[in-house]
Amino acid sequence: MAAKWIETLTGSLEQKKQYKQITARLKALPEPYGTAAQAVKRYLLYAGGVFDGDIMMQMFSDFADLWEQAAADGTPVRGIVGDDPVEFAEAFAQAYGGKHWIDKERARLNQSIDDAERGEKK
């Protein structure tokens, strides 16, 4: 019961646990994969825009799988991210079709303009 009350304030404790496990997996990667994966992960946190926790955990779990497999196969870092790491990160995030924060802002903007227009017609 206490966990449910705490989760109301802080969000899912299970997702926090999963995120820590994923972060530990990325930190355990050999170099240069660890440094590159951490950099892309940081970008995804800022620019990924995914705000649904379940989708975000799936995205980062798949992300860790990708880097672990690439490290095991000896794939060069540029073989993973290509010539444009930003493009790679943004395409990776787009593959997860959940709601993004920008979707919420777009809906809010449309609603505000609709409300303004209705006020204008009165």
PDB file of all heavy atoms in Angstrom, residues 53-65:
ATOM      1  N   GLY A  53       6.003   5.923 -19.963  1.00  0.00           N
ATOM      2  CA  GLY A  53       7.062   5.171 -19.288  1.00  0.00           C
ATOM      3  C   GLY A  53       7.289   3.775 -19.838  1.00  0.00           C
ATOM      4  O   GLY A  53       8.433   3.332 -19.977  1.00  0.00           O
ATOM      5  N   ASP A  54       6.204   3.067 -20.161  1.00  0.00           N
ATOM      6  CA  ASP A  54       6.355   1.711 -20.697  1.00  0.00           C
ATOM      7  C   ASP A  54       7.084   1.725 -22.042  1.00  0.00           C
ATOM      8  O   ASP A  54       7.969   0.907 -22.292  1.00  0.00           O
ATOM      9  CB  ASP A  54       4.990   1.040 -20.854  1.00  0.00           C
ATOM     10  CG  ASP A  54       4.345   0.713 -19.519  1.00  0.00           C
ATOM     11  OD1 ASP A  54       5.084   0.507 -18.530  1.00  0.00           O
ATOM     12  OD2 ASP A  54       3.103   0.664 -19.461  1.00  0.00           O
ATOM     13  N   ILE A  55       6.706   2.657 -22.885  1.00  0.00           N
ATOM     14  CA  ILE A  55       7.345   2.748 -24.204  1.00  0.00           C
ATOM     15  C   ILE A  55       8.804   3.171 -24.052  1.00  0.00           C
ATOM     16  O   ILE A  55       9.690   2.646 -24.718  1.00  0.00           O
ATOM     17  CB  ILE A  55       6.563   3.713 -25.114  1.00  0.00           C
ATOM     18  CG1 ILE A  55       5.208   3.096 -25.442  1.00  0.00           C
ATOM     19  CG2 ILE A  55       7.337   4.024 -26.388  1.00  0.00           C
ATOM     20  CD1 ILE A  55       4.263   3.997 -26.171  1.00  0.00           C
ATOM     21  N   MET A  56       9.049   4.110 -23.137  1.00  0.00           N
ATOM     22  CA  MET A  56      10.424   4.554 -22.924  1.00  0.00           C
ATOM     23  C   MET A  56      11.304   3.400 -22.428  1.00  0.00           C
ATOM     24  O   MET A  56      12.436   3.234 -22.894  1.00  0.00           O
ATOM     25  CB  MET A  56      10.464   5.710 -21.925  1.00  0.00           C
ATOM     26  CG  MET A  56      11.861   6.262 -21.730  1.00  0.00           C
ATOM     27  SD  MET A  56      11.919   7.611 -20.560  1.00  0.00           S
ATOM     28  CE  MET A  56      11.181   8.907 -21.512  1.00  0.00           C
ATOM     29  N   MET A  57      10.772   2.592 -21.515  1.00  0.00           N
ATOM     30  CA  MET A  57      11.563   1.459 -21.014  1.00  0.00           C
ATOM     31  C   MET A  57      11.834   0.458 -22.129  1.00  0.00           C
ATOM     32  O   MET A  57      12.937  -0.090 -22.217  1.00  0.00           O
ATOM     33  CB  MET A  57      10.850   0.780 -19.845  1.00  0.00           C
ATOM     34  CG  MET A  57      10.851   1.589 -18.558  1.00  0.00           C
ATOM     35  SD  MET A  57      12.496   2.085 -18.039  1.00  0.00           S
ATOM     36  CE  MET A  57      12.521   3.795 -18.570  1.00  0.00           C
ATOM     37  N   GLN A  58      10.829   0.228 -22.991  1.00  0.00           N
ATOM     38  CA  GLN A  58      11.045  -0.683 -24.119  1.00  0.00           C
ATOM     39  C   GLN A  58      12.099  -0.122 -25.059  1.00  0.00           C
ATOM     40  O   GLN A  58      12.978  -0.852 -25.535  1.00  0.00           O
ATOM     41  CB  GLN A  58       9.728  -0.922 -24.876  1.00  0.00           C
ATOM     42  CG  GLN A  58       9.860  -1.937 -25.992  1.00  0.00           C
ATOM     43  CD  GLN A  58      10.288  -3.309 -25.457  1.00  0.00           C
ATOM     44  OE1 GLN A  58       9.640  -3.852 -24.570  1.00  0.00           O
ATOM     45  NE2 GLN A  58      11.371  -3.848 -25.977  1.00  0.00           N
ATOM     46  N   MET A  59      12.038   1.184 -25.321  1.00  0.00           N
ATOM     47  CA  MET A  59      13.008   1.820 -26.207  1.00  0.00           C
ATOM     48  C   MET A  59      14.418   1.678 -25.648  1.00  0.00           C
ATOM     49  O   MET A  59      15.341   1.274 -26.363  1.00  0.00           O
ATOM     50  CB  MET A  59      12.665   3.306 -26.390  1.00  0.00           C
ATOM     51  CG  MET A  59      13.640   4.048 -27.293  1.00  0.00           C
ATOM     52  SD  MET A  59      13.201   5.778 -27.557  1.00  0.00           S
ATOM     53  CE  MET A  59      13.727   6.498 -26.004  1.00  0.00           C
ATOM     54  N   PHE A  60      14.599   1.967 -24.377  1.00  0.00           N
ATOM     55  CA  PHE A  60      15.952   1.894 -23.812  1.00  0.00           C
ATOM     56  C   PHE A  60      16.427   0.453 -23.646  1.00  0.00           C
ATOM     57  O   PHE A  60      17.622   0.185 -23.760  1.00  0.00           O
ATOM     58  CB  PHE A  60      16.031   2.664 -22.494  1.00  0.00           C
ATOM     59  CG  PHE A  60      16.145   4.146 -22.711  1.00  0.00           C
ATOM     60  CD1 PHE A  60      15.200   5.009 -22.201  1.00  0.00           C
ATOM     61  CD2 PHE A  60      17.195   4.678 -23.436  1.00  0.00           C
ATOM     62  CE1 PHE A  60      15.297   6.375 -22.417  1.00  0.00           C
ATOM     63  CE2 PHE A  60      17.304   6.042 -23.663  1.00  0.00           C
ATOM     64  CZ  PHE A  60      16.349   6.887 -23.151  1.00  0.00           C
ATOM     65  N   SER A  61      15.514  -0.472 -23.408  1.00  0.00           N
ATOM     66  CA  SER A  61      15.907  -1.879 -23.343  1.00  0.00           C
ATOM     67  C   SER A  61      16.398  -2.350 -24.715  1.00  0.00           C
ATOM     68  O   SER A  61      17.440  -3.003 -24.823  1.00  0.00           O
ATOM     69  CB  SER A  61      14.727  -2.726 -22.861  1.00  0.00           C
ATOM     70  OG  SER A  61      15.090  -4.083 -22.840  1.00  0.00           O
ATOM     71  N   ASP A  62      15.667  -1.995 -25.756  1.00  0.00           N
ATOM     72  CA  ASP A  62      16.086  -2.337 -27.120  1.00  0.00           C
ATOM     73  C   ASP A  62      17.400  -1.649 -27.465  1.00  0.00           C
ATOM     74  O   ASP A  62      18.258  -2.229 -28.150  1.00  0.00           O
ATOM     75  CB  ASP A  62      15.007  -1.934 -28.132  1.00  0.00           C
ATOM     76  CG  ASP A  62      13.735  -2.762 -28.000  1.00  0.00           C
ATOM     77  OD1 ASP A  62      13.749  -3.808 -27.313  1.00  0.00           O
ATOM     78  OD2 ASP A  62      12.722  -2.343 -28.585  1.00  0.00           O
ATOM     79  N   PHE A  63      17.547  -0.427 -26.996  1.00  0.00           N
ATOM     80  CA  PHE A  63      18.783   0.334 -27.227  1.00  0.00           C
ATOM     81  C   PHE A  63      19.976  -0.401 -26.596  1.00  0.00           C
ATOM     82  O   PHE A  63      21.022  -0.563 -27.234  1.00  0.00           O
ATOM     83  CB  PHE A  63      18.611   1.732 -26.623  1.00  0.00           C
ATOM     84  CG  PHE A  63      19.789   2.640 -26.801  1.00  0.00           C
ATOM     85  CD1 PHE A  63      20.043   3.240 -28.022  1.00  0.00           C
ATOM     86  CD2 PHE A  63      20.636   2.909 -25.737  1.00  0.00           C
ATOM     87  CE1 PHE A  63      21.129   4.084 -28.181  1.00  0.00           C
ATOM     88  CE2 PHE A  63      21.714   3.754 -25.884  1.00  0.00           C
ATOM     89  CZ  PHE A  63      21.964   4.347 -27.105  1.00  0.00           C
ATOM     90  N   ALA A  64      19.811  -0.856 -25.377  1.00  0.00           N
ATOM     91  CA  ALA A  64      20.891  -1.605 -24.713  1.00  0.00           C
ATOM     92  C   ALA A  64      21.172  -2.917 -25.444  1.00  0.00           C
ATOM     93  O   ALA A  64      22.338  -3.300 -25.621  1.00  0.00           O
ATOM     94  CB  ALA A  64      20.533  -1.866 -23.247  1.00  0.00           C
ATOM     95  N   ASP A  65      20.111  -3.599 -25.888  1.00  0.00           N
ATOM     96  CA  ASP A  65      20.291  -4.833 -26.668  1.00  0.00           C
ATOM     97  C   ASP A  65      21.126  -4.563 -27.919  1.00  0.00           C
ATOM     98  O   ASP A  65      22.033  -5.338 -28.253  1.00  0.00           O
ATOM     99  CB  ASP A  65      18.938  -5.416 -27.100  1.00  0.00           C
ATOM    100  CG  ASP A  65      18.113  -5.966 -25.957  1.00  0.00           C
ATOM    101  OD1 ASP A  65      18.646  -6.174 -24.845  1.00  0.00           O
ATOM    102  OD2 ASP A  65      16.897  -6.185 -26.183  1.00  0.00           O
TER     103      ASP A  65
END
